Amino acid sequence: MNRKINVIYTGGTIGMIKSPETGALEPFRFKDVYEHLPMLNIIDAEIVCEEMLPLIDSSDTNPDFWKRLARRIYDNYEKYDGFVVLHGTDTMSYTASALSFLLENLSKPVILTGSQLPLGVMRTDGRENILNSIEIASAHLNGVPRVPEVCIYFENSLYRGNRTYKDNAEHFNAFMSANYPKLAEVGVNIKYNDPFIAKCSEKPLILHDEMDDNIGILKLYPGITHQAIRSVLNTPGIKAVIMETFGSGNAPSNEPFLHLLKEAVENNIIIMNVTQCKGGGTVEIGKYGASVALGKIGVVSGNDITTEAAVAKLMYLLGHNLSVQEVKHWMGIPLRGEITV
Ligand code: ASP
């Protein structure tokens, strides 16, 4: 059966072509995509390609962009069997994380992809990435979509979007998901990793379109000054801080540092402990002496969440006007498979 897939181009390298006049890379109008990708005409799905204007370099994504994209998918949800979002690679993991929270109860695939080389360049990786994403977005098993969640497809691998991070600016294999297995691998056949793929929701799709961006990131490093820490914790209006710690969630143990954190927690600022280690598990407050005090102060464990997903999840939860206790509670619960507890 022919499935109907909506391809939404938002910007980024994939939609560029070498200008015949200047030789420089310029975005092309995506309605002309069939000229650059004639295989789209023979693919076993009905494809509707659209642009979401203005096209942006993904460095310009922000909560407004995420809300617009989520709304667009929500508004067209009934018309299509799946969505493929073409997006710059630089912040694709943030957008995938944000969409996973803004679209609750998904029962259709939303697959983000892009490329390291533009579609208009001979050796582009964009061609395979788009065609495989469309095939995966159309895939069904026993009458239900095979991957009903927000994913990133890149260089033969399908990942849960809110588990990924951009790992390489040069290799075609640009994304990683260190704490969650791939959802599928593409070779001659597509091998789906079914036990790790979310189940189709039977509830109606809910669009959340509030996000609160009053958050900050405090990356610890040996020698960090108290002024540097204060500049983050004392940001006017700040409600939550992702504190990037060492190893399994460790931080300096000196009194003045702990006092700064304690003061912030007492002022109702949520401090999430997210490790700087990409893989190898989870934050374990109290495993080492260097993190025992954090637990006593009321710093919350981010478990194995990525910074990208923590940013999106905090903005999403804070957007719901929850109490500090409620936000802390929900940060510890997997809402879209973003953490393992
Ligand atoms: N700077 C570009 C972007 O993220 C890079 C890319 O598309 O891969 O929009």
Side-chain angles (χ1 to χ4, degrees):
M1 181 184 164
N2 244 7
R3 308 281 170 193
K4 198 168 173 191
I5 305 298
N6 189 197
V7 178
I8 307 168
Y9 175 56
T10 65
T13 301
I14 193 164
M16 305 219 163
I17 187 156
K18 245 189 188 143
S19 152
E21 288 91 46
T22 64
L25 288 173
E26 291 172 352
F28 65 87
R29 296 313 304 246
F30 224 73
K31 60 179 173 44
D32 302 330
V33 67
Y34 287 87
E35 271 171 40
H36 304 290
L37 210 50
M39 292 85 144
L40 285 177
N41 289 308
I42 52 167
I43 208 165
D44 199 16
E46 186 185 336
I47 297 153
V48 177
C49 290
E50 294 173 338
E51 292 168 328
M52 189 168 103
L53 298 173
L55 301 177
I56 55 166
D57 184 290
S58 77
S59 315
D60 281 319
T61 47
N62 56 33
D64 283 334
F65 169 87
W66 296 333
K67 287 189 280 181
R68 273 197 301 127
L69 183 54
R71 170 154 296 281
R72 192 180 175 116
I73 292 171
Y74 178 81
D75 287 345
N76 292 296
Y77 196 64
E78 295 310 323
K79 286 203 267 173
Y80 296 101
D81 295 296
F83 297 83
V84 172
V85 177
L86 305 180
H87 191 287
T89 55
D90 290 349
T91 62
M92 195 186 288
S93 296
Y94 289 90
T95 298
S97 299
L99 287 180
S100 76
F101 295 112
L102 296 178
L103 296 168
E104 184 176 356
N105 299 334
L106 268 183
S107 57
K108 296 181 182 181
V110 175
I111 304 196
L112 284 84
T113 194
S115 67
Q116 297 283 53
L117 282 176
L119 213 46
V121 165
M122 258 273 274
R123 287 192 309 109
T124 184
D125 50 330
R127 196 180 310 122
E128 309 306 324
N129 285 348
I130 295 187
L131 295 173
N132 285 323
S133 295
I134 293 173
E135 179 153 355
I136 292 169
S138 329
H140 277 59
L141 182 67
N142 304 327
V144 288
R146 193 92 205 228
V147 195
E149 56 173 306
V150 180
C151 307
I152 286 186
Y153 177 81
F154 224 83
E155 182 68 359
N156 300 330
S157 296
L158 184 74
Y159 307 95
R160 173 165 294 164
N162 59 28
R163 290 293 193 142
T164 61
Y165 51 93
K166 184 172 177 181
D167 178 58
N168 200 296
E170 156 88 15
H171 294 165
F172 285 151
N173 185 3
F175 288 89
M176 284 280 284
S177 164
N179 288 329
Y180 200 74
K182 292 178 183 177
L183 302 185
E185 286 190 74
V186 175
V188 173
N189 297 303
I190 302 181
K191 290 199 180 125
Y192 290 94
N193 199 357
D194 288 318
F196 292 94
I197 298 175
K199 299 279 165 290
C200 236
S201 175
E202 284 170 9
K203 299 185 192 146
L205 181 70
I206 298 173
L207 173 71
H208 297 273
D209 64 357
E210 289 306 326
M211 291 191 116
D212 184 336
D213 56 7
N214 282 301
I215 68 163
I217 297 182
L218 173 62
K219 179 167 184 156
L220 298 181
Y221 50 89
I224 187 167
T225 64
H226 294 162
Q227 291 94 299
I229 295 169
R230 268 198 215 97
S231 70
V232 178
L233 297 179
N234 294 347
T235 307
I238 198 142
K239 295 180 182 162
V241 171
I242 296 162
M243 182 169 74
E244 290 195 346
T245 54
F246 310 122
S248 51
N250 302 317
S253 50
N254 66 77
E255 243 344 285
F257 168 75
L258 294 172
H259 182 74
L260 288 175
L261 297 186
K262 187 161 180 276
E263 220 173 48
V265 172
E266 284 168 0
N267 286 331
N268 279 330
I269 295 175
I270 299 158
I271 304 189
M272 294 293 312
N273 184 343
V274 174
T275 173
Q276 293 175 24
C277 287
K278 292 299 192 185
T282 192
V283 163
E284 289 179 78
I285 294 181
K287 179 173 178 189
Y288 286 89
S291 66
V292 170
L294 299 181
K296 287 198 184 133
I297 289 169
V299 170
V300 190
S301 170
N303 298 292
D304 61 349
I305 201 165
T306 60
T307 295
E308 290 83 341
V311 164
K313 188 171 178 180
L314 278 172
M315 288 187 182
Y316 160 77
L317 290 174
L318 292 170
H320 282 73
N321 291 321
L322 304 173
S323 69
V324 167
Q325 274 322 315
E326 285 170 319
V327 174
K328 287 183 176 177
H329 168 77
W330 289 115
M331 284 306 291
I333 309 265
L335 297 179
R336 312 283 190 268
E338 73 284 1
I339 49 174
T340 312
V341 287

